[in-house]
Short mmCIF file of all heavy atoms in Angstrom, two decimals:
data_model
loop_
_atom_site.label_atom_id
_atom_site.label_comp_id
_atom_site.label_asym_id
_atom_site.label_seq_id
_atom_site.Cartn_x
_atom_site.Cartn_y
_atom_site.Cartn_z
N ALA A 284 8.56 -7.13 -2.81
CA ALA A 284 7.75 -7.82 -3.83
C ALA A 284 7.58 -9.29 -3.47
O ALA A 284 6.47 -9.84 -3.58
CB ALA A 284 8.41 -7.68 -5.19
N TYR A 285 8.65 -9.94 -3.04
CA TYR A 285 8.56 -11.36 -2.65
C TYR A 285 7.63 -11.53 -1.46
O TYR A 285 6.75 -12.43 -1.46
CB TYR A 285 9.95 -11.88 -2.30
CG TYR A 285 9.94 -13.24 -1.66
CD1 TYR A 285 9.74 -14.40 -2.43
CD2 TYR A 285 10.12 -13.38 -0.28
CE1 TYR A 285 9.71 -15.65 -1.82
CE2 TYR A 285 10.10 -14.63 0.32
CZ TYR A 285 9.89 -15.75 -0.44
OH TYR A 285 9.85 -17.00 0.15
N ALA A 286 7.76 -10.68 -0.45
CA ALA A 286 6.93 -10.80 0.75
C ALA A 286 5.45 -10.58 0.47
O ALA A 286 4.58 -11.14 1.16
CB ALA A 286 7.41 -9.80 1.81
N ASN A 287 5.14 -9.80 -0.57
CA ASN A 287 3.75 -9.49 -0.88
C ASN A 287 3.13 -10.42 -1.92
O ASN A 287 1.97 -10.25 -2.27
CB ASN A 287 3.64 -8.03 -1.34
CG ASN A 287 3.64 -7.08 -0.17
OD1 ASN A 287 2.63 -6.83 0.47
ND2 ASN A 287 4.82 -6.53 0.15
N ARG A 288 3.90 -11.39 -2.40
CA ARG A 288 3.32 -12.38 -3.33
C ARG A 288 2.64 -13.47 -2.52
O ARG A 288 3.15 -14.57 -2.32
CB ARG A 288 4.40 -12.96 -4.24
CG ARG A 288 4.80 -12.03 -5.37
CD ARG A 288 5.47 -12.80 -6.51
NE ARG A 288 6.72 -13.41 -6.11
CZ ARG A 288 7.92 -12.82 -6.20
NH1 ARG A 288 8.01 -11.58 -6.67
NH2 ARG A 288 9.01 -13.46 -5.82
N ARG A 289 1.48 -13.12 -1.98
CA ARG A 289 0.72 -14.02 -1.14
C ARG A 289 -0.68 -13.48 -0.95
O ARG A 289 -0.95 -12.31 -1.24
CB ARG A 289 1.39 -14.18 0.24
CG ARG A 289 1.72 -12.85 0.92
CD ARG A 289 1.95 -12.99 2.40
NE ARG A 289 0.70 -13.35 3.06
CZ ARG A 289 0.63 -13.73 4.34
NH1 ARG A 289 1.72 -13.81 5.06
NH2 ARG A 289 -0.52 -14.03 4.89
N GLU A 290 -1.57 -14.30 -0.47
CA GLU A 290 -2.90 -13.83 -0.11
C GLU A 290 -2.86 -13.18 1.27
O GLU A 290 -1.94 -13.40 2.06
CB GLU A 290 -3.89 -15.00 -0.11
CG GLU A 290 -4.13 -15.62 -1.48
CD GLU A 290 -5.16 -16.73 -1.44
OE1 GLU A 290 -5.61 -17.09 -0.33
OE2 GLU A 290 -5.50 -17.24 -2.52
N ASN A 291 -3.89 -12.39 1.55
CA ASN A 291 -4.05 -11.77 2.86
C ASN A 291 -2.86 -10.89 3.26
O ASN A 291 -2.41 -10.90 4.41
CB ASN A 291 -4.28 -12.83 3.95
CG ASN A 291 -5.75 -13.16 4.10
OD1 ASN A 291 -6.54 -12.87 3.21
ND2 ASN A 291 -6.13 -13.77 5.21
N ALA A 292 -2.34 -10.13 2.31
CA ALA A 292 -1.32 -9.13 2.60
C ALA A 292 -1.77 -7.81 1.96
O ALA A 292 -1.91 -7.72 0.75
CB ALA A 292 0.04 -9.55 2.06
N LEU A 293 -1.99 -6.81 2.80
CA LEU A 293 -2.43 -5.50 2.32
C LEU A 293 -1.48 -4.43 2.82
O LEU A 293 -0.83 -4.59 3.88
CB LEU A 293 -3.85 -5.20 2.84
CG LEU A 293 -4.95 -6.18 2.43
CD1 LEU A 293 -6.26 -5.84 3.12
CD2 LEU A 293 -5.14 -6.17 0.93
N THR A 294 -1.37 -3.34 2.07
CA THR A 294 -0.50 -2.23 2.46
C THR A 294 -1.28 -0.94 2.50
O THR A 294 -2.00 -0.61 1.56
CB THR A 294 0.68 -2.10 1.45
OG1 THR A 294 1.44 -3.30 1.47
CG2 THR A 294 1.59 -0.94 1.86
N ILE A 295 -1.13 -0.22 3.61
CA ILE A 295 -1.79 1.08 3.78
C ILE A 295 -0.81 2.18 3.42
O ILE A 295 0.31 2.24 3.95
CB ILE A 295 -2.25 1.29 5.24
CG1 ILE A 295 -3.26 0.21 5.65
CG2 ILE A 295 -2.85 2.68 5.41
CD1 ILE A 295 -3.60 0.23 7.13
N PHE A 296 -1.20 3.04 2.50
CA PHE A 296 -0.41 4.22 2.15
C PHE A 296 -1.13 5.47 2.64
O PHE A 296 -2.36 5.51 2.70
CB PHE A 296 -0.21 4.30 0.63
CG PHE A 296 0.69 3.22 0.09
CD1 PHE A 296 0.13 2.08 -0.51
CD2 PHE A 296 2.07 3.31 0.19
CE1 PHE A 296 0.95 1.08 -1.00
CE2 PHE A 296 2.88 2.31 -0.30
CZ PHE A 296 2.32 1.18 -0.90
N GLN A 297 -0.34 6.49 2.97
CA GLN A 297 -0.91 7.75 3.44
C GLN A 297 -1.00 8.80 2.34
O GLN A 297 -1.67 9.80 2.51
CB GLN A 297 -0.08 8.29 4.61
CG GLN A 297 -0.13 7.40 5.85
CD GLN A 297 0.49 8.04 7.06
OE1 GLN A 297 1.06 9.13 7.01
NE2 GLN A 297 0.41 7.38 8.19
N ASN A 298 -0.31 8.56 1.23
CA ASN A 298 -0.38 9.51 0.12
C ASN A 298 -0.20 8.76 -1.19
O ASN A 298 0.33 7.65 -1.24
CB ASN A 298 0.65 10.63 0.27
CG ASN A 298 2.08 10.10 0.30
OD1 ASN A 298 2.59 9.59 -0.70
ND2 ASN A 298 2.73 10.19 1.46
N ASP A 299 -0.66 9.39 -2.28
CA ASP A 299 -0.63 8.74 -3.60
C ASP A 299 0.78 8.57 -4.13
O ASP A 299 1.07 7.62 -4.88
CB ASP A 299 -1.46 9.56 -4.58
CG ASP A 299 -2.95 9.47 -4.32
OD1 ASP A 299 -3.39 8.41 -3.82
OD2 ASP A 299 -3.67 10.45 -4.58
N SER A 300 1.70 9.46 -3.78
CA SER A 300 3.07 9.39 -4.30
C SER A 300 3.77 8.11 -3.86
O SER A 300 4.44 7.44 -4.66
CB SER A 300 3.87 10.60 -3.85
OG SER A 300 3.33 11.80 -4.39
N ASP A 301 3.63 7.75 -2.56
CA ASP A 301 4.27 6.54 -2.07
C ASP A 301 3.65 5.30 -2.72
O ASP A 301 4.37 4.36 -3.08
CB ASP A 301 4.13 6.47 -0.55
CG ASP A 301 4.98 7.51 0.17
OD1 ASP A 301 5.82 8.15 -0.50
OD2 ASP A 301 4.80 7.68 1.39
N LYS A 302 2.33 5.29 -2.84
CA LYS A 302 1.67 4.15 -3.47
C LYS A 302 2.16 3.98 -4.92
O LYS A 302 2.50 2.87 -5.35
CB LYS A 302 0.15 4.33 -3.46
CG LYS A 302 -0.60 3.09 -3.94
CD LYS A 302 -2.07 3.36 -4.17
CE LYS A 302 -2.31 3.89 -5.57
NZ LYS A 302 -3.72 3.85 -5.98
N SER A 303 2.22 5.09 -5.67
CA SER A 303 2.66 5.04 -7.05
C SER A 303 4.09 4.51 -7.17
O SER A 303 4.44 3.80 -8.11
CB SER A 303 2.56 6.42 -7.69
OG SER A 303 1.21 6.86 -7.72
N PHE A 304 4.93 4.87 -6.20
CA PHE A 304 6.32 4.43 -6.21
C PHE A 304 6.40 2.90 -6.11
O PHE A 304 7.07 2.24 -6.91
CB PHE A 304 7.08 5.08 -5.05
CG PHE A 304 8.50 4.61 -4.92
CD1 PHE A 304 9.49 5.11 -5.74
CD2 PHE A 304 8.85 3.66 -3.98
CE1 PHE A 304 10.80 4.68 -5.63
CE2 PHE A 304 10.14 3.22 -3.84
CZ PHE A 304 11.12 3.73 -4.68
N PHE A 305 5.71 2.32 -5.13
CA PHE A 305 5.79 0.88 -4.92
C PHE A 305 5.08 0.12 -6.05
O PHE A 305 5.59 -0.91 -6.51
CB PHE A 305 5.18 0.50 -3.57
CG PHE A 305 6.13 0.69 -2.42
CD1 PHE A 305 6.13 1.86 -1.68
CD2 PHE A 305 7.03 -0.31 -2.08
CE1 PHE A 305 7.01 2.04 -0.64
CE2 PHE A 305 7.93 -0.15 -1.04
CZ PHE A 305 7.92 1.04 -0.30
N VAL A 306 3.92 0.59 -6.47
CA VAL A 306 3.20 -0.06 -7.55
C VAL A 306 4.00 0.03 -8.85
O VAL A 306 4.13 -0.93 -9.61
CB VAL A 306 1.78 0.52 -7.71
CG1 VAL A 306 1.10 -0.05 -8.97
CG2 VAL A 306 0.94 0.21 -6.49
N GLY A 307 4.56 1.21 -9.10
CA GLY A 307 5.32 1.44 -10.33
C GLY A 307 6.54 0.58 -10.45
O GLY A 307 6.97 0.23 -11.56
N HIS A 308 7.15 0.21 -9.30
CA HIS A 308 8.34 -0.65 -9.31
C HIS A 308 7.99 -2.12 -9.16
O HIS A 308 8.89 -2.97 -9.00
CB HIS A 308 9.32 -0.23 -8.21
CG HIS A 308 10.08 1.02 -8.53
ND1 HIS A 308 9.62 2.27 -8.23
CD2 HIS A 308 11.27 1.20 -9.18
CE1 HIS A 308 10.49 3.18 -8.66
NE2 HIS A 308 11.49 2.55 -9.22
N GLY A 309 6.69 -2.43 -9.21
CA GLY A 309 6.27 -3.83 -9.16
C GLY A 309 6.41 -4.50 -7.82
O GLY A 309 6.38 -5.73 -7.72
N ALA A 310 6.60 -3.70 -6.75
CA ALA A 310 6.78 -4.28 -5.41
C ALA A 310 5.46 -4.68 -4.78
O ALA A 310 5.40 -5.62 -3.98
CB ALA A 310 7.52 -3.31 -4.50
N ILE A 311 4.38 -3.97 -5.11
CA ILE A 311 3.05 -4.23 -4.55
C ILE A 311 2.03 -4.08 -5.67
O ILE A 311 2.13 -3.15 -6.49
CB ILE A 311 2.74 -3.25 -3.40
CG1 ILE A 311 3.75 -3.40 -2.26
CG2 ILE A 311 1.33 -3.49 -2.84
CD1 ILE A 311 3.64 -2.34 -1.18
N LYS A 312 1.04 -4.97 -5.69
CA LYS A 312 0.00 -4.88 -6.69
C LYS A 312 -1.04 -3.83 -6.30
O LYS A 312 -1.29 -3.62 -5.12
CB LYS A 312 -0.68 -6.23 -6.87
CG LYS A 312 0.24 -7.30 -7.44
CD LYS A 312 -0.50 -8.63 -7.58
CE LYS A 312 0.40 -9.71 -8.16
NZ LYS A 312 -0.30 -11.01 -8.25
N GLU A 313 -1.63 -3.20 -7.30
CA GLU A 313 -2.63 -2.17 -7.06
C GLU A 313 -3.75 -2.68 -6.15
O GLU A 313 -4.20 -1.96 -5.25
CB GLU A 313 -3.22 -1.73 -8.40
CG GLU A 313 -4.28 -0.65 -8.31
CD GLU A 313 -3.70 0.73 -8.08
OE1 GLU A 313 -2.60 1.01 -8.59
OE2 GLU A 313 -4.37 1.52 -7.37
N GLU A 314 -4.18 -3.92 -6.35
CA GLU A 314 -5.30 -4.45 -5.57
C GLU A 314 -4.95 -4.73 -4.12
O GLU A 314 -5.83 -4.97 -3.28
CB GLU A 314 -5.87 -5.72 -6.22
CG GLU A 314 -4.87 -6.84 -6.40
CD GLU A 314 -4.22 -6.82 -7.77
OE1 GLU A 314 -4.11 -5.74 -8.37
OE2 GLU A 314 -3.78 -7.90 -8.23
N GLN A 315 -3.66 -4.68 -3.80
CA GLN A 315 -3.23 -4.88 -2.41
C GLN A 315 -3.12 -3.56 -1.64
O GLN A 315 -2.83 -3.56 -0.44
CB GLN A 315 -1.86 -5.58 -2.37
CG GLN A 315 -1.87 -7.01 -2.85
CD GLN A 315 -0.47 -7.62 -2.83
OE1 GLN A 315 0.44 -7.12 -3.53
NE2 GLN A 315 -0.28 -8.65 -2.03
N CYS A 316 -3.35 -2.45 -2.31
CA CYS A 316 -3.15 -1.14 -1.70
C CYS A 316 -4.44 -0.60 -1.07
O CYS A 316 -5.52 -0.72 -1.64
CB CYS A 316 -2.64 -0.13 -2.74
SG CYS A 316 -1.07 -0.61 -3.50
N ARG A 317 -4.28 0.02 0.08
CA ARG A 317 -5.37 0.74 0.74
C ARG A 317 -4.87 2.13 1.11
O ARG A 317 -3.68 2.36 1.22
CB ARG A 317 -5.86 -0.01 1.99
CG ARG A 317 -6.36 -1.43 1.72
CD ARG A 317 -7.60 -1.45 0.84
NE ARG A 317 -8.08 -2.80 0.59
CZ ARG A 317 -7.73 -3.53 -0.46
NH1 ARG A 317 -6.87 -3.03 -1.35
NH2 ARG A 317 -8.21 -4.74 -0.64
N TYR A 318 -5.79 3.07 1.30
CA TYR A 318 -5.40 4.48 1.49
C TYR A 318 -6.05 5.03 2.75
O TYR A 318 -7.28 5.01 2.88
CB TYR A 318 -5.85 5.28 0.26
CG TYR A 318 -5.49 6.74 0.28
CD1 TYR A 318 -4.18 7.17 0.39
CD2 TYR A 318 -6.48 7.73 0.18
CE1 TYR A 318 -3.85 8.51 0.39
CE2 TYR A 318 -6.17 9.08 0.18
CZ TYR A 318 -4.84 9.45 0.29
OH TYR A 318 -4.51 10.79 0.29
N ILE A 319 -5.25 5.48 3.68
CA ILE A 319 -5.72 6.16 4.90
C ILE A 319 -4.84 7.40 5.07
O ILE A 319 -3.63 7.29 5.22
CB ILE A 319 -5.66 5.28 6.15
CG1 ILE A 319 -6.53 4.03 5.95
CG2 ILE A 319 -6.13 6.04 7.37
CD1 ILE A 319 -6.48 3.06 7.12
N LYS A 320 -5.46 8.56 5.10
CA LYS A 320 -4.73 9.83 5.05
C LYS A 320 -4.22 10.21 6.45
O LYS A 320 -4.79 11.04 7.15
CB LYS A 320 -5.66 10.92 4.51
CG LYS A 320 -4.96 12.14 4.00
CD LYS A 320 -5.95 13.06 3.31
CE LYS A 320 -5.31 14.33 2.79
NZ LYS A 320 -6.27 15.21 2.12
N GLY A 321 -3.14 9.57 6.87
CA GLY A 321 -2.53 9.88 8.16
C GLY A 321 -3.09 9.04 9.27
O GLY A 321 -3.95 8.18 9.09
N SER A 322 -2.61 9.30 10.49
CA SER A 322 -3.01 8.52 11.66
C SER A 322 -4.17 9.15 12.41
O SER A 322 -4.64 8.62 13.40
CB SER A 322 -1.82 8.33 12.61
OG SER A 322 -1.23 9.58 12.91
N GLY A 323 -4.64 10.30 11.93
CA GLY A 323 -5.84 10.91 12.49
C GLY A 323 -5.58 11.73 13.74
O GLY A 323 -4.50 11.72 14.32
N VAL A 324 -6.60 12.45 14.17
CA VAL A 324 -6.51 13.28 15.37
C VAL A 324 -7.85 13.23 16.10
O VAL A 324 -8.91 13.16 15.47
CB VAL A 324 -6.16 14.75 15.01
CG1 VAL A 324 -7.21 15.38 14.10
CG2 VAL A 324 -5.90 15.59 16.24
N ASP A 325 -7.80 13.21 17.40
CA ASP A 325 -9.01 13.24 18.22
C ASP A 325 -9.54 14.67 18.23
O ASP A 325 -8.95 15.56 18.84
CB ASP A 325 -8.68 12.78 19.66
CG ASP A 325 -9.89 12.63 20.52
OD1 ASP A 325 -10.87 13.40 20.34
OD2 ASP A 325 -9.89 11.77 21.41
N LEU A 326 -10.64 14.89 17.55
CA LEU A 326 -11.15 16.26 17.36
C LEU A 326 -11.71 16.88 18.64
O LEU A 326 -11.83 18.10 18.73
CB LEU A 326 -12.23 16.26 16.27
CG LEU A 326 -11.73 15.89 14.86
CD1 LEU A 326 -12.91 15.76 13.91
CD2 LEU A 326 -10.75 16.92 14.35
#
């Protein structure tokens, strides 16, 4: 929470459960969260 109280800090989550955990405990603000579903695969 301390490290994320700043501008230009974003967090990528891969699933909604992890995001809800950090946001729910006040460690990261909702507006700092981004969502990417895994690291991808070369099709």
Side-chain angles (χ1 to χ4, degrees):
Y285 170 77
N287 280 277
R288 283 200 296 270
R289 51 161 292 170
E290 294 182 355
N291 272 18
L293 300 174
T294 300
I295 299 171
F296 292 99
Q297 295 189 355
N298 60 68
D299 289 328
S300 297
D301 290 350
K302 188 191 87 166
S303 297
F304 176 79
F305 278 94
V306 172
H308 284 88
I311 299 172
K312 295 179 180 178
E313 180 78 34
E314 57 267 27
Q315 292 178 298
C316 300
R317 301 295 180 268
Y318 181 59
I319 300 178
K320 198 173 180 179
S322 53
V324 61
D325 187 327
L326 295 173

